[in-house]
Amino acid sequence: MGDTASVPRIDPARSTCVLIGVDTYESLPDLRSVRRNVEDLGRALGDPGIWGVPDDRRWVVPNPRTPGELTGPIREAVEKAEDTILVYYAGHGLLELDDELHLALPASKHGWGETSLAFSVLRGLLLEARGSVKRRVVVLDCCYSGKALGEMDGEETVPRRRQIEIEGSYVLTSTTERERAHAPLLKTHTAFTGALLDILQQGDPGHGERETLTLNQIYRLLKDSFAIRQPPLPAPQAQDQNGVGDLPFIRNRPRPANHVPIPSRWSRLRLLLAGAGILLTGAGLGVGTTLGWERHASQPRDFPGSCGSQDRAVLLDVSDRLDESGTNEYNGTAIEQLSALALTGEGTEAIAVRDQGGTHVFRLTLGREAPHTLRPEVRHQPRTLYTPEGRDFPKFDGEGLVIERDGRTILVSEERGPSIRRFRLSDGRQLGEPLPLPKVFRPPPAPGGRADGTRNLESLTATPDGKHLFAGMEGPLLGDDGKSGAHRVRIQSYRGESGSHYTPSIQYGYPTDQGYYLTELIAVDDTRLLALERGYMNGLGSGVRVYKVDLDGATNVDGQILDTGHEDRLVDKELLFDLASCPPGDLKKRQGQPNPLMENVEGMALGPPMTGTYRGRRALYLLADNNSRPRYQSTRIYSLAVRLP
């Protein structure tokens, strides 16, 4: 780039900006962080120490209901702008049937293009302004925003030396045309806008001698910051027409105190080289090779390591030992398809249940030094579960597990029935009748049944005193509406005595994240649960999140429909950790899992309070089901130290 020191800065006093944010939707998931996006970005652009556009030249547009409410402020800004107009949009981006990017409005529905604003409309509006406005800058923080690149063309190509002298446009997007943007549930800002605000407010610490930053320099800083994130996020994109990106834009004011610095060029180079080494290691396996589990001492970010910046969970160890030859079967019984895990209370011993292909219960030890070092092993002949008459079950899909207080019996929730049955561990026989279930938990054509037969009774847990049970549905009942894959599922509580009778009590409504299902529950006490949510998407692999759930004062939803507009009926939840934020260590990814740490996690068990380094935390174990596909999925066990109130 040529020297721009003598080139005038984009003049904030003669420019305008319109900041549009849609955070509330009727049919799409809400985006809570978007409101803070537009508020904080507006303040930053108005700060004379950053850009300094006057108050009467900034429009903040929250939740425009109609296309006109979105475009109206832009028209006003165009009329007032003499130098540059900047338009920012944050919200859902939709690809409609015409394969064009549409900017979602609160009432937008996917597939109904007329309910959103096609980007071509915004493009046309800004291209019309070329006669009165020198430059147009568009910043899009939404899914598929890369579709806008190329849409702002219209200027003739000019020699490089003249580009910074004439009018043009600049488009900066949070993703490519086929990727989704990232909006962490509990973060203040979306990932892209949060990084952009960091740069505006902190400047470029690696180049403190610069008085200003250009749009292209901001773009490169964004790309660098995203490149070193774990897990990787979609890379921002940019398009510069006629040199707008080379003009001095904001003031560069590095702030070394209390901020995490953006790595210097040499630090970024070292990180990139380290990443290249990892890629070369994988490439050595050959294209199309199924990637198994290996350890390489040079791999960075080993565990133990914190799962996110808030230090609520530390990943201690991960083991695929139950997949290794010699330990993946016991006397001819395959150790696979494990879907539930419970600790016996005797050291590191546990019990696991197989969900399909057999009605086996495995007694295993997690390792002498668990949870710090896992070495799972089955030491006893697996127990087969039988009917009260001692016969085999024709079909049995065990998903949830509770070891009752005397250690002689277990409760198992079964998805296909569905049912909750008690079994004697000594011989595997069922004792008595299954626990009563609400009629709606049964799939049609059962009378009153509203359940999905494939995502039914998945989780089961008991309070430490055994007086309360909680049974959770994996997916929603028919008629319980969600928002674009964010489901509303049910948790049925019971009261009774361990080893004796239980009767149904309160029924709760639980909201899952978009694309996730409720897979497991752990009762901390009679009003607090841990909830395990799991999702899977082709190309993105598995997602695993654990939430803290507060039942205190929650609504009893028995007999009610969990339709849209009744969020007050749902329990409160708070993210404990996202497994994708934990260090992957030196695990190698398997087919279908871009993040090597992720697997098909279905089971969860809470251990006792810890001592030593992690004093004040609880041990937490996760169990992954390999679905009898050991080449592609692992029977994996994770151990963590979690901080609970």
Side-chain angles (χ1 to χ4, degrees):
M1 185 180 77
D3 183 15
T4 60
S6 61
V7 178
R9 189 164 69 104
I10 297 177
D11 186 0
R14 300 171 62 243
S15 298
T16 58
C17 60
V18 182
L19 309 172
I20 305 155
V22 183
D23 63 274
T24 303
Y25 293 88
E26 296 176 8
S27 300
L28 301 172
D30 292 342
L31 298 171
R32 301 175 185 174
S33 52
V34 164
R35 180 174 290 274
R36 287 295 300 272
N37 277 7
V38 293
E39 292 174 353
D40 293 349
L41 188 58
R43 279 191 287 267
L45 295 176
D47 184 345
I50 298 177
W51 190 25
V53 65
D55 291 348
D56 62 349
R57 288 176 170 265
R58 296 197 313 274
W59 285 257
V60 175
V61 187
N63 297 312
R65 302 291 305 180
T66 65
E69 289 183 14
L70 189 154
T71 59
I74 297 175
R75 292 185 180 276
E76 293 179 27
V78 165
E79 292 180 1
K80 199 164 188 175
E82 303 160 276
D83 188 308
T84 299
I85 178 172
L86 185 151
V87 176
Y88 166 90
Y89 170 86
H92 282 296
L94 306 174
L95 288 184
E96 296 298 0
L97 298 178
D98 55 6
D99 199 37
E100 182 183 352
L101 175 65
H102 285 238
L103 308 181
L105 304 173
S108 293
K109 292 185 178 181
H110 186 59
W112 296 27
E114 70 277 11
T115 63
S116 55
L117 180 75
F119 181 76
S120 60
V121 175
L122 175 60
R123 170 186 178 272
L125 181 61
L126 293 176
L127 287 179
E128 290 176 3
R130 283 183 296 180
S132 57
V133 179
K134 285 185 177 181
R135 289 167 283 266
R136 292 141 289 135
V137 177
V138 178
V139 182
L140 298 178
D141 186 359
C142 62
C143 296
Y144 319 119
S145 51
K147 289 289 288 185
L149 299 176
E151 296 269 325
M152 291 299 297
D153 293 357
E155 295 83 359
E156 298 178 358
T157 302
V158 297
R160 179 72 176 81
R161 64 180 181 274
R162 292 185 54 218
Q163 286 185 351
I164 61 174
E165 300 175 7
I166 66 173
E167 61 192 36
S169 64
Y170 196 90
V171 181
L172 180 62
T173 70
S174 59
T175 71
T176 66
E177 64 178 31
R178 295 296 175 186
E179 289 183 295
R180 294 178 179 272
H182 192 59
L185 183 63
L186 299 179
K187 296 293 185 181
T188 304
H189 306 106
T190 61
F192 172 80
T193 299
L196 177 60
L197 282 165
D198 285 344
I199 294 168
L200 296 181
Q201 295 165 349
Q202 300 172 26
D204 182 0
H207 294 86
E209 74 283 357
R210 291 175 176 165
E211 293 185 4
T212 60
L213 294 178
T214 68
L215 283 163
N216 279 333
Q217 288 165 344
I218 293 172
Y219 166 59
R220 283 190 286 270
L221 289 169
L222 281 169
K223 286 193 67 175
D224 287 346
S225 70
F226 275 57
I228 62 175
R229 294 200 184 190
Q230 292 293 335
L233 296 178
Q237 307 291 307
Q239 183 182 55
D240 183 8
Q241 290 290 324
N242 295 335
V244 175
D246 289 340
L247 292 172
F249 176 34
I250 65 167
R251 300 187 187 280
N252 183 31
R253 51 176 194 179
R255 295 180 179 177
N258 300 324
H259 288 283
V260 177
I262 297 172
S264 66
R265 182 177 299 176
W266 172 237
S267 299
R268 295 194 297 264
L269 178 59
R270 284 188 295 178
L271 286 164
L272 291 173
L273 287 175
I278 297 168
L279 292 173
L280 289 172
T281 300
L285 296 174
V287 177
T289 302
T290 300
L291 301 180
W293 183 87
E294 295 184 39
R295 288 191 175 271
H296 297 278
S298 61
Q299 178 91 359
R301 299 192 74 235
D302 207 347
F303 25 78
S306 181
C307 302
S309 60
Q310 296 186 347
D311 196 34
R312 292 173 174 170
V314 174
L315 181 63
L316 300 177
D317 198 16
V318 179
S319 177
D320 290 344
R321 190 169 185 269
L322 294 179
D323 268 351
E324 297 174 3
S325 177
T327 59
N328 59 357
E329 66 175 21
Y330 191 96
N331 289 344
T333 301
I335 304 170
E336 60 183 10
Q337 292 186 290
L338 306 184
S339 63
L341 183 72
L343 301 178
T344 65
E346 300 177 8
T348 64
E349 289 194 359
I351 291 177
V353 170
R354 182 172 179 170
D355 61 358
Q356 297 185 44
T359 53
H360 297 119
V361 174
F362 297 86
R363 188 183 293 269
L364 65 153
T365 178
L366 300 177
R368 183 176 300 176
E369 299 179 8
H372 300 281
T373 303
L374 292 171
R375 189 175 174 81
E377 181 180 2
V378 175
R379 294 182 175 176
H380 305 275
Q381 183 65 36
R383 177 65 66 196
T384 302
L385 301 181
Y386 299 104
T387 67
E389 298 76 26
R391 301 190 183 95
D392 290 334
F393 284 97
K395 289 183 179 180
F396 193 87
D397 187 5
E399 296 289 357
L401 171 66
V402 166
I403 301 175
E404 300 202 269
R405 295 188 71 190
D406 61 5
R408 298 178 182 178
T409 58
I410 59 174
L411 294 171
V412 179
S413 61
E414 194 252 334
E415 188 171 35
R416 289 183 183 272
S419 66
I420 302 174
R421 303 171 188 265
R422 177 177 283 118
F423 296 92
R424 189 165 51 210
L425 276 175
S426 60
D427 59 8
R429 285 202 181 191
Q430 178 182 326
L431 298 176
E433 295 296 319
L435 270 60
L437 283 175
K439 291 181 180 180
V440 293
F441 278 32
R442 304 186 184 281
R450 292 171 44 210
D452 181 341
T454 62
R455 295 193 183 276
N456 208 313
L457 199 60
E458 182 79 10
S459 53
L460 186 67
T461 186
T463 54
D465 60 9
K467 294 183 178 181
H468 299 268
L469 287 178
F470 299 92
M473 303 290 283
E474 182 180 15
L477 299 179
L478 299 175
D480 287 352
D481 296 335
K483 288 189 175 184
S484 187
H487 307 295
R488 299 171 180 197
V489 303
R490 300 192 179 228
I491 299 172
Q492 179 65 52
S493 68
Y494 292 80
R495 289 193 176 196
E497 294 292 334
S498 183
S500 185
H501 298 288
Y502 284 99
T503 57
S505 182
I506 299 174
Q507 191 176 118
Y508 302 96
Y510 177 88
T512 71
D513 290 353
Q514 183 179 9
Y516 285 72
Y517 294 90
L518 179 60
T519 304
E520 187 60 286
L521 293 169
I522 292 292
V524 180
D525 52 40
D526 57 353
T527 61
R528 294 183 301 157
L529 305 176
L530 297 183
L532 172 66
E533 296 186 26
R534 182 202 61 204
Y536 181 84
M537 183 176 295
N538 288 330
L540 298 179
S542 295
V544 177
R545 296 170 181 171
V546 175
Y547 283 90
K548 296 182 292 184
V549 181
D550 185 4
L551 303 178
D552 191 26
T555 300
N556 187 350
V557 300
D558 187 15
Q560 301 182 31
I561 300 295
L562 299 181
D563 53 358
T564 303
H566 291 91
E567 282 75 11
D568 57 328
R569 298 178 182 174
L570 306 178
V571 300
D572 294 327
K573 69 176 188 178
E574 179 184 359
L575 184 68
L576 180 60
F577 68 91
D578 186 332
L579 192 61
S581 299
C582 300
D586 46 13
L587 299 172
K588 297 298 293 182
K589 68 180 181 180
R590 291 176 180 243
Q591 183 170 318
Q593 298 291 353
N595 183 340
L597 185 63
M598 308 304 288
E599 273 295 352
N600 179 38
V601 175
E602 292 198 8
M604 181 169 63
L606 185 64
M610 303 178 69
T611 59
T613 303
Y614 300 106
R615 184 179 183 85
R617 296 177 183 254
R618 300 283 294 272
L620 184 71
Y621 299 92
L622 304 180
L623 173 66
D625 178 358
N626 74 345
N627 288 318
S628 292
R629 303 171 72 239
R631 289 187 61 198
Y632 308 104
Q633 294 179 284
S634 174
T635 304
R636 176 172 288 177
I637 296 179
Y638 309 75
S639 62
L640 301 100
V642 298
R643 193 187 302 278
L644 300 179

